[in-house]
Amino acid sequence: TVEKDVSGVDLNCGCPKKFSVSGGMGAALMSNPDRLCAILEKLVQGLDVPVTCKIRVFDDVEQTLQLVRRIAATGISALTVHCRTKVMRPNEKALWHRLGAIVKELPDLPVILNGDIFEHSDVQRARDKTGATSVMTARGAAANPSIFRAQGKLSAMDTAVALTKLAVQTSNVFLNTKYILLQMHPETKSRSFEILNKSRRYKEMCEAMGLAEYYEREGVYLIHERSEPAKSKNKPGKGPLATAEGANKRKLDEQDKISGQDAAAAAASEQSGEAEADAKLGGDQKPGSGSGSETKAAASADIAEIADAPAAKRLKA
């Protein structure tokens, strides 16, 4: 079951997107507290991992407090509050001042602040200003995951390049990596962003991120065929060498195999000719000399050895 693979289960009642709200999910559950709490109770009773919940705030303070009291009574382990209303957009400043009343209302429940966390220093600032136990971030981390560094953020491009190399090393799914990098890239008007946006394979992505040499040196051997979109007109690769370079290597191996077969055929033909010559000379040789049969056997052994040798050894022979 999923429970065995996760550290906890969160019910997101904060998503304002149309596809969620129109289906009665996300922020729509806030307007149906009976259903919301029934779901949480089922999860809490049926799971052995922590169950948490995320909500937004209502325009009305008291309506918000009534909802959080009911949610807390279900037995959840923590509550995350996105400090915006359902209709507020990300470019509108988060309502941090609304969280203090919720923290006071739920003294025994960890309350997590969500909204406008973009720097490592924002974590402590949010705690000091609201009393929140911790924080949750989405856009900040998506734009630059290094916001979690206590020493300060790295540049967005340096972080994006490092993430690209990590994705190659782990053969992460191409489309997933591309989506992440498009969120992180700091220069959306640049040529590199344009190449990244049009990329269809890891090779093109690495070129856009200034990692062309790294890809040629290491990446080509690390990317598994399942990580990249299938090529409609080409047969899928076998094993990890599924790139164009890997296909070339397989082609050379096949040519080497064919060359070996051709050499074996030529050796067999030559052996047949020598056998015929030995038959003609056999009548002129004295009985017991064995020169014809011994010569034929030695020649056959040499030919067989050459035919079975790798291409490089055959050329040398």
Side-chain angles (χ1 to χ4, degrees):
T1 62
V2 174
E3 179 182 10
K4 296 178 181 179
D5 299 322
V6 298
S7 299
V9 174
D10 182 73
L11 180 64
N12 183 1
C13 306
C15 181
K17 297 293 185 180
K18 184 178 180 180
F19 72 86
S20 288
V21 176
S22 62
M25 303 174 288
L29 284 171
M30 291 180 58
S31 300
N32 191 342
D34 290 338
R35 173 177 290 181
L36 189 165
C37 291
I39 294 173
L40 289 175
E41 287 172 354
K42 276 287 186 182
L43 291 172
V44 171
Q45 294 169 8
L47 299 176
D48 292 326
V49 296
V51 175
T52 59
C53 181
K54 178 185 176 185
I55 64 169
R56 291 189 171 225
V57 295
F58 290 115
D59 289 322
D60 182 70
V61 174
E62 184 54 38
Q63 185 180 8
T64 303
L65 294 178
Q66 288 178 2
L67 179 62
V68 300
R69 283 194 291 266
R70 289 195 60 180
I71 291 174
T74 64
I76 62 171
S77 299
L79 175 68
T80 299
V81 180
H82 185 165
C83 297
R84 290 185 174 91
T85 64
K86 184 173 70 173
V87 298
M88 289 177 68
R89 300 278 71 86
N91 61 337
E92 298 180 70
K93 187 176 177 61
L95 309 175
W96 283 17
H97 66 278
R98 292 287 304 275
L99 195 68
I102 297 174
V103 171
K104 291 180 180 179
E105 191 70 27
L106 309 174
D108 300 322
L109 185 69
V111 177
I112 302 166
L113 177 146
N114 177 222
D116 291 352
I117 301 294
F118 298 107
E119 307 283 345
H120 186 273
S121 58
D122 289 337
V123 177
Q124 192 57 49
R125 188 167 66 89
R127 286 171 170 166
D128 294 341
K129 191 169 185 178
T130 68
T133 306
S134 188
V135 301
M136 177 184 290
T137 179
R139 289 180 300 138
N144 191 337
S146 69
I147 67 169
F148 299 107
R149 294 179 77 248
Q151 305 92 327
K153 286 193 300 186
L154 300 173
S155 76
M157 184 55 80
D158 287 346
T159 307
V161 169
L163 187 141
T164 304
K165 293 182 71 173
L166 181 61
V168 170
Q169 291 165 7
T170 58
S171 195
N172 188 49
V173 175
F174 172 82
L175 292 176
N176 176 258
T177 304
K178 180 178 178 179
Y179 176 83
I180 295 171
L181 290 177
L182 288 174
Q183 310 306 307
M184 293 176 60
H185 203 295
E187 302 170 3
T188 56
K189 303 294 184 181
S190 66
R191 175 62 177 162
S192 65
F193 182 87
E194 181 182 351
I195 297 174
L196 174 63
N197 194 34
K198 293 180 179 180
S199 66
R200 295 294 180 268
R201 320 291 293 180
Y202 262 108
K203 182 176 182 179
E204 300 163 7
M205 176 185 289
C206 287
E207 290 173 355
M209 302 305 295
L211 293 171
E213 291 185 5
Y214 168 76
Y215 180 84
E216 297 294 338
R217 185 177 67 253
E218 299 181 36
V220 65
Y221 301 106
L222 298 173
I223 299 299
H224 194 280
E225 60 179 335
R226 291 181 303 229
S227 301
E228 297 195 311
K231 293 182 179 180
S232 58
K233 296 183 179 180
N234 296 330
K235 294 181 179 179
K238 298 179 180 179
L241 296 175
T243 59
E245 291 82 355
N248 287 336
K249 184 179 184 304
R250 289 193 300 276
K251 185 177 180 180
L252 291 173
D253 290 342
E254 187 65 25
Q255 289 175 348
D256 188 64
K257 180 179 179 182
I258 293 173
S259 297
Q261 293 171 347
D262 290 343
S269 177
E270 185 176 349
Q271 182 179 356
S272 176
E274 289 185 358
E276 184 178 349
D278 283 344
K280 291 180 179 179
L281 293 173
D284 298 331
Q285 294 171 354
K286 295 180 180 181
S289 65
S291 58
S293 59
E294 290 174 4
T295 303
K296 180 171 65 176
S300 298
D302 290 342
I303 291 168
E305 181 181 353
I306 292 173
D308 292 336
K313 187 175 179 181
R314 293 198 303 274
L315 292 173
K316 184 177 180 181

